[in-house]
Amino acid sequence: MGQHEGKGRFITLEGGEGTGKSTQIRLLLARLECVGIMAHQTREPGGSADAERIRAFILEAGQSRFTPLTETLLFFAARNDHLETTIRPALNAGKWVVSDRFADSTRVYQGCMGTLDTTTLERLEELIIGETRPDLTLILDLPAEIGLARAIARRGAVAADGFEAESLAYHRGLRQCYLDLANREPDRCFIVDAAGNEQDVAERVWYIVSERLLAPDNGHPHG
Ligand code: TMP
């Protein structure tokens, strides 16, 4: 902790499709509001006007259209605009930011599940993200079968975008990549069991957020 001392806090939610990230973000924002913290909700790819345009372009093109580096650069181009126009101004103004996905998605989807090497990813992170690293990352974890079934149910008749139209084996791989990532950065990343009803999951999320970011010994004025 400490890099945003005196600034807002930066929380990211990660996980495969159908793990309930958007529901949990909504519930987390409501809990934060109850303790007097008005957080800014955002997402990746997207989160600013131009980044949303890049999002539409990437998702419409699907996964196989670009070379791995081009695809990664598009995610980072969106991220750069998101950071410059949304995330950093909010944090600098003392606001909390809660993002549905951030750079860990690139590590998992383009790196661990894709072909992009770690050195390139680290260099891009250094260049684009710099010091603006999340204070806390919650990884919503579900067995791949459940996540995939939820994602399909939610989608209904609407066709999957290229990133969702993957097999069960792919979703199992995604889950493992997130678990490995969490193991490598245990101070920042927390695995949340996303099975069961949404209120129970919200309790688990809130426990971690309040322990890590609101407890009296972490220097936050709300503690
Ligand atoms: P969403 O459906 O969670 O909004 O995300 C859109 C898709 O984009 C999702 O399948 C994950 C993928 N994605 C990447 O491949 N790399 C990234 O860096 C991000 C942010 C998302």
Side-chain angles (χ1 to χ4, degrees), residues 41-48 51-52 55 82 98-101:
Q41 178 180 350
T42 188
R43 69 169 180 180
E44 287 212 345
S48 63
E52 288 291 332
R55 175 193 175 91
H82 186 207
V98 182
S99 186
D100 182 341
R101 298 191 182 282

Side-chain angles (χ1 to χ4, degrees), residues 17 21 44-45 55 59 75 79 100-102 105-106 109-110 161 163-164:
E17 332 297 330
K21 291 186 298 300
E44 287 212 345
R55 175 193 175 91
L59 297 185
F75 280 112
R79 181 162 302 134
D100 182 341
R101 298 191 182 282
F102 189 62
S105 285
T106 317
Y109 285 79
Q110 281 68 48
D161 64 51
F163 289 84
E164 280 187 347

